[in-house]
Amino acid sequence: MSGTVAGRRPRYRRGIVWKGEFRVLLVPPVYLTAVLLIAATAAAGALKWWGGAAFGAQHPTVGALVEPASALRAAAWQSSTFGGLLLATVIVTIAGAQLIESGTWGVLRLYENRSHVLYARRLCAAVAFLAVVQLVNGLTLWIVMRGMAALRPAPTRPPAAFDTGTPALGVADAGSAGWAEALTATGGALLTQTLYLSLGWCAAALLRNSIGALALGIGPWLVTAPLLLLPVGPFVPHAWIASLMSLPGEAQYRLYFWVQATPEPSPAVAAALVAGFTAAAAFLAQLLLRSERVLRPID
């Protein structure tokens, strides 16, 4: 018996399914946002290097970018803060909210009735895409900074010579990074972006509107940022992400775009909190997506 019906496993190759999931992400709004993030990271690094060369010395967080591991860590910082939030929200808007708004998600339920399977495939494809973007971002930043070092060489001064007044959050030196630190930061960035994606899917399933999902995906993070200045600061997700990623305060607006956060809780506790909220948001998202169907049981 050929064909498929609702509730029965579709009979097509898994390879075709995954190609479809990645094809959804290869649209202008998504890859242009990714290119913009990569270009902004490279441009910011180049401008900081040029300014340091004119000053006569590089800040450690900038001077270390000639090393591939440090460049990869800087890309992870970008991916876990505002740049990664923007890209994740655009992905959810294109690959989720638009499908729900147009009714396409309900049609997909005719071929795969298990909403959690559809959601998991789309989430995994998005995380894999974000991992590639993060690696390309780090590679591009390293190449650009090597070029800048050849054009405008300048020594790197110790942190004490700059007296920024914003010591690193939980790290003794925000300069060079080893591969272990770089890979840890990469994993933390992907976990943070999974949180962004899961919360964005919740917004898309609730609002069923692209513009609303885009606004709700970014808005709460910007609105709640001032809470970091209040006694409740350690309980705001921004602080958890800053601790998870060990974001150094002196590198803010140099190598990442975020808000100043307190060093509490510890990175291990922060990782547990971010992972817990990510799992809860993912579970809630697939529950909300169950209601998006073309045919109801009574049909």
Side-chain angles (χ1 to χ4, degrees):
M1 183 176 180
S2 61
T4 60
V5 295
R8 187 172 297 177
R9 188 183 182 90
R11 297 177 182 177
Y12 45 70
R13 293 180 302 173
R14 291 184 178 181
I16 297 177
V17 175
W18 285 106
K19 286 181 180 179
E21 297 293 351
F22 286 108
R23 191 179 298 115
V24 173
L25 301 177
L26 298 180
V27 294
V30 175
Y31 64 71
L32 287 179
T33 304
V35 170
L36 178 62
L37 173 61
I38 294 171
T41 304
L47 288 175
K48 292 300 180 182
W49 184 280
W50 195 271
F55 177 73
Q58 299 294 347
H59 192 280
T61 56
V62 178
L65 295 179
V66 296
E67 304 168 1
S70 297
L72 182 60
R73 183 183 64 175
W77 287 344
Q78 287 281 9
S79 297
S80 62
T81 53
F82 184 75
L85 169 61
L86 177 62
L87 180 56
T89 304
V90 171
I91 288 176
V92 171
T93 302
I94 299 300
Q98 283 191 357
L99 294 182
I100 297 174
E101 184 179 10
S102 64
T104 305
W105 182 266
V107 175
L108 291 175
R109 294 288 305 278
L110 295 176
Y111 294 91
E112 175 55 84
N113 191 43
R114 297 171 298 176
S115 60
H116 64 280
V117 173
L118 287 174
Y119 171 69
R121 282 202 301 248
R122 190 133 299 187
L123 183 64
C124 290
V127 172
F129 176 80
L130 290 170
V132 172
V133 171
Q134 190 175 160
L135 292 175
V136 173
N137 195 7
L139 179 61
T140 303
L141 180 62
W142 174 63
I143 293 174
V144 169
M145 300 310 288
R146 292 285 294 182
M148 293 299 299
L151 290 174
R152 296 289 301 270
T156 299
R157 290 187 180 178
F162 289 86
D163 190 24
T164 60
T166 54
L169 301 181
V171 290
D173 180 14
S176 299
W179 283 109
E181 293 175 298
L183 294 177
T184 300
T186 299
L190 291 177
L191 175 61
T192 302
Q193 288 183 314
T194 304
L195 173 62
Y196 295 156
L197 290 168
S198 300
L199 291 175
W201 270 99
C202 289
L206 284 171
L207 300 178
R208 305 178 184 179
N209 179 274
S210 300
I211 302 300
L214 182 63
L216 193 58
I218 298 179
W221 297 93
L222 302 180
V223 172
T224 57
L227 295 178
L228 288 168
L229 303 176
L230 302 177
V232 297
F235 304 100
V236 178
H238 300 73
W240 307 341
I241 294 172
S243 296
L244 168 65
M245 299 300 300
S246 296
L247 294 178
E250 63 266 24
Q252 184 174 216
Y253 305 119
R254 281 192 178 92
L255 305 181
Y256 67 91
F257 303 100
W258 203 227
V259 291
Q260 294 288 4
T262 58
E264 298 178 358
S266 67
V269 175
L273 289 171
V274 174
F277 272 81
T278 300
F283 180 73
L284 178 60
Q286 65 90 19
L287 285 182
L288 293 172
L289 290 170
R290 285 184 180 181
S291 63
E292 294 296 327
R293 303 178 60 174
V294 172
L295 300 178
R296 306 292 175 180
I298 194 174
D299 297 330

